[in-house]
Amino acid sequence: MPSSAGTHQQGHTEQDKLIVYYDGACPKCIRDRETYQKLAGSSAEQVCWFDITGQENRLREQGIDPQKALSELHVREANGRIVSELDAYILLMNNVPVLKPLAWLIGLPLIRPLLAHLYHWLVNRRLRKRGLV
């Protein structure tokens, strides 16, 4: 079940929040989550974090391939739409004022494909080290 980061902000319910599917068995993923929460400040309350470890059936029920969940960030919007990869990062960053310029930069047509390639290379390297690929 998604766990909320921090206390609930008045007026925000679980259904209003973004759900971030992250690998809780990955130290880097945990550090990235903590960094996001620090940078987001009160905006962090608009995000629920779902640890995908051992949740293959729940992921499938929600339309997420468990293997892809390990290799790509997935975020479910309040309307139920799931975005992944760089789109997920851009969505999260756009919710944090200090990260909005970075979200814009990542989305640029010349930068996005290069970052996508680098992102996949780094994730696959991390998964190989853990024996998951």
Side-chain angles (χ1 to χ4, degrees):
M1 185 163 250
S3 64
S4 177
T7 59
H8 290 280
Q9 190 175 27
Q10 194 170 20
H12 285 286
T13 65
E14 294 284 319
Q15 292 79 24
D16 294 334
K17 297 182 180 191
L18 296 175
I19 299 173
V20 179
Y21 299 88
Y22 78 105
D23 183 357
C26 164
K28 181 180 181 336
C29 301
I30 293 168
R31 283 191 309 273
D32 289 349
R33 172 188 170 172
E34 291 168 351
T35 299
Y36 178 84
Q37 289 174 308
K38 287 176 188 170
L39 291 172
S42 64
S43 298
E45 295 175 3
Q46 298 172 17
V47 177
C48 289
W49 298 86
F50 182 91
D51 181 356
I52 64 171
T53 307
Q55 297 293 328
E56 291 81 7
N57 289 336
R58 286 260 332 261
L59 290 169
R60 283 187 199 96
E61 288 169 4
Q62 297 177 42
I64 300 171
D65 177 314
Q67 189 60 37
K68 283 200 178 258
L70 279 175
S71 63
E72 300 173 356
L73 180 67
H74 287 70
V75 176
R76 178 183 297 273
E77 294 179 292
N79 66 10
R81 184 177 80 117
I82 296 174
V83 295
S84 61
E85 252 184 359
L86 290 181
D87 289 333
Y89 283 98
I90 291 168
L91 177 64
L92 285 172
M93 289 178 184
N94 273 324
N95 284 325
V96 180
V98 72
L99 296 177
K100 279 186 180 191
L102 186 56
W104 173 82
L105 184 66
I106 288 172
L108 290 176
L110 293 175
I111 294 182
R112 185 184 185 107
L114 295 172
L115 280 180
H117 181 73
L118 176 63
Y119 170 74
H120 283 288
W121 181 80
L122 290 170
V123 169
N124 287 327
R125 190 176 85 173
R126 175 180 54 84
L127 293 173
R128 273 193 302 278
K129 284 182 179 180
R130 291 177 52 202
L132 297 173
V133 175

